[in-house]
Amino acid sequence: MYNFEFKQPKTISEALNALKSDEAEALAGGQTLIPTMKQRLASPATLVSLSKISEMRGICKNDDGSISIGGGTTHADVAANSNIFPGLVTLAENIGDPAVRNRGTIGGSLANNDPAACYPAAALSAGATIVTDSREISADDFFQGMFETALEESEIILSVRFPVPSLSSYQKFVQPASRFAMVGVFLSKFENETRVAITGASEEGVFRWKEAERALNEDFSEGSITDFVLEPSGMIGDIHASKEYRAHLVKVMTKRAVKSAS
Amino acid sequence: MSNVTMTVNGKTVSGSVEGRTLLVEFIRNDLHLTGTHVGCDTSQCGACAVHVDGKLAKACTMFALEANGSEVSTIEGQANEDGSLNVIQQAFKDHHGLQCGFCTPGMVMAAADLLKTNSKPTELEIREHLEGNICRCTGYHNIVKAILAASGQDVSNIAAE
């Protein structure tokens, strides 16, 4: 790993100042960035750790019923919080392993937008709002392809605001070596609409399966999507699973999500 | 170089490190506490597991400076005050929970983390909690048995395999 200058601000404004320096990068939990730096795939000149910024951690319920999760909140803290809805608890408590969950954060996961990460599926499915230091971005606009987001250089995620669905489920088919999602399906059922977001499957990163959403809006049952055939082109094909297998898994995991939604 | 100060196994320690110095490098190279192992150095194997502020963490996937001001415990801090093995360590010994022993420090730290919040874990809960710890001897069966025994559960009916 190349060396860098390490900064550990205690407030958001100090962090934003530190991020102005040349080739500065934010460090959240580091569970992806540190391995990436070891491989010299990232080599920031300055690394600005966000982990000591207490105002970026924690979970609260808003007046409108939505919940806000600080960008620096760890997966373990999300999994253990009683305000969190069922699908999101399942998701948070199954990321990586216990040690990873104690360090990795929701803000880091969303900002990285790994095509097989879990959190992007939850944010997109629930229609979350990503709150940064300068603006609010809806999840529908935030994810822009594999490892690409709407974030500007040195913009950081302060919190994520989730509307609370009446029913939700996260169904992850685990790639056993990495514990990332081979395919992960997050389903959120609201009073007026059902949203289905898929991670792990597409070369474009997380996406909404709108055909399934339309069918589930009319008839919220496994049967309503049984006859769908998902096109394998555009799916990820690698040594773990072919495009065809991932396309098939998307449907299987979506049906499981419908069945298990609570 | 930057100064770093933390509490390791109850003692205040400090040193001078680079930004890129990993916590595990500081623990092993500067403090000479070589019980914490580096197996894969890619966040997979858990041989470097320690507790940082009471929480299980992989010391190869954390910078030393991130632990500035923190309380860290390593395998060297696990024994009883008189130097005898603690309950988990003794159970690993009694139930043959180690073969080559390389993964053992991480396994013991993960087990201690589990038993802190779950005093009577099921076999499944133990296996799930060890998901980030790899034993290349594949000796999981007796590791799980040792942790069940350490939590005071009867393991007399579990066959040695």
Side-chain angles (χ1 to χ4, degrees):
Chain A
M1 187 188 316
Y2 293 111
N3 202 17
F4 52 85
E5 190 186 348
F6 182 84
K7 292 186 177 168
Q8 195 159 50
K10 292 213 164 56
T11 65
I12 292 163
S13 60
E14 282 171 24
L16 293 172
N17 266 334
L19 282 166
K20 281 184 192 145
S21 53
D22 261 1
E23 290 182 56
E25 207 166 314
L27 172 70
Q31 302 304 286
T32 297
L33 183 55
I34 295 175
T36 307
M37 289 171 64
K38 286 182 183 181
Q39 296 184 354
R40 297 185 174 176
L41 295 172
S43 50
T46 303
L47 203 54
V48 182
S49 166
L50 307 178
S51 63
K52 295 272 155 102
I53 304 176
S54 53
E55 55 191 317
M56 275 178 61
R57 297 184 77 138
I59 296 162
C60 66
K61 199 160 189 169
N62 302 312
D63 291 341
D64 65 358
S66 63
I67 48 170
S68 287
I69 305 177
T73 310
T74 64
H75 311 323
D77 285 345
V78 171
N81 190 283
S82 58
N83 286 320
I84 303 293
F85 50 93
L88 198 53
V89 171
T90 308
L91 180 147
E93 66 189 8
N94 286 291
I95 295 174
D97 58 56
V100 167
R101 294 195 286 274
N102 283 336
R103 302 286 310 162
T105 69
I106 184 170
S109 172
L110 293 176
N112 190 44
N113 193 19
D114 187 298
C118 298
Y119 267 122
L124 188 58
S125 169
T129 302
I130 287 82
V131 181
T132 77
D133 51 276
S134 57
R135 59 191 168 139
E136 298 197 348
I137 309 167
S138 89
D140 283 309
D141 301 325
F142 183 81
F143 303 105
Q144 302 189 341
M146 210 180 254
F147 297 111
E148 295 288 334
T149 70
L151 290 175
E152 302 286 343
E153 289 270 312
S154 81
E155 187 175 6
I156 52 178
I157 298 175
L158 301 187
S159 67
V160 188
R161 196 168 62 237
F162 282 90
V164 176
S166 51
L167 293 175
S168 63
S169 177
Y170 181 60
Q171 293 294 315
K172 172 177 169 183
F173 193 97
V174 178
Q175 199 277 84
S178 70
R179 294 179 288 275
F180 272 93
M182 192 117 89
V183 165
V185 175
F186 203 107
L187 178 145
S188 306
K189 185 178 191 307
F190 295 94
E191 204 173 321
N192 302 321
E193 64 166 343
T194 296
R195 292 168 59 113
V196 178
I198 316 288
T199 188
S202 168
E203 289 176 341
E204 299 295 312
V206 68
F207 68 99
R208 277 173 68 189
W209 188 16
K210 295 197 177 170
E211 191 188 11
E213 291 180 356
R214 278 192 292 273
L216 292 167
N217 277 333
E218 292 197 359
D219 171 20
F220 189 80
S221 74
E222 283 179 85
S224 70
I225 53 171
T226 299
D227 296 333
F228 286 178
V229 180
L230 209 70
E231 189 50 50
S233 70
M235 293 283 153
I236 298 169
D238 57 23
I239 57 165
H240 307 298
S242 64
K243 292 170 186 282
E244 290 75 15
Y245 186 54
R246 278 196 170 82
H248 175 71
L249 271 182
V250 168
K251 187 164 93 175
V252 172
M253 301 314 276
T254 304
K255 285 167 76 173
R256 287 186 192 173
V258 172
K259 194 176 172 188
S260 62
S262 62
Chain B
M1 302 287 272
S2 309
N3 287 325
V4 64
T5 302
M6 63 186 84
T7 308
V8 177
N9 300 329
K11 283 186 202 145
T12 303
V13 295
S14 46
S16 179
V17 295
E18 289 185 315
R20 63 181 166 184
T21 303
L22 298 168
L23 177 60
V24 72
E25 293 170 336
F26 179 68
I27 290 171
R28 289 178 56 86
N29 303 347
D30 293 51
L31 305 181
H32 305 296
L33 295 172
T34 54
T36 301
H37 290 169
V38 181
C40 66
D41 200 22
T42 56
S43 326
Q44 310 287 323
C45 81
C48 64
V50 298
H51 298 177
V52 178
D53 295 323
K55 291 181 176 170
L56 189 69
K58 291 180 179 175
C60 82
T61 312
M62 221 185 133
F63 295 114
L65 287 167
E66 284 184 281
N68 195 22
S70 289
E71 283 193 25
V72 175
S73 30
T74 71
I75 190 69
E76 286 87 352
Q78 296 300 298
N80 297 325
E81 274 182 23
D82 63 3
S84 61
L85 299 179
N86 78 3
V87 173
I88 299 168
Q89 293 169 313
Q90 187 63 45
F92 269 66
K93 186 180 176 200
D94 293 344
H95 297 280
H96 197 59
L98 59 151
Q99 291 177 42
C100 85
F102 193 86
C103 72
T104 311
M107 290 288 181
V108 170
M109 297 309 285
D113 180 64
L114 171 65
L115 296 185
K116 229 172 6 188
T117 52
N118 185 349
S119 60
K120 291 272 183 289
T122 63
E123 177 182 339
L124 180 64
E125 287 169 339
I126 293 170
R127 289 186 185 274
E128 283 179 350
H129 206 79
L130 297 181
E131 208 162 349
N133 293 75
I134 294 173
C135 167
R136 286 212 67 179
C137 308
T138 69
Y140 298 103
H141 188 82
N142 284 348
I143 291 170
V144 172
K145 189 175 174 183
I147 297 169
L148 280 168
S151 66
Q153 301 185 72
D154 180 16
V155 294
S156 55
N157 288 326
I158 301 176
E161 285 182 12

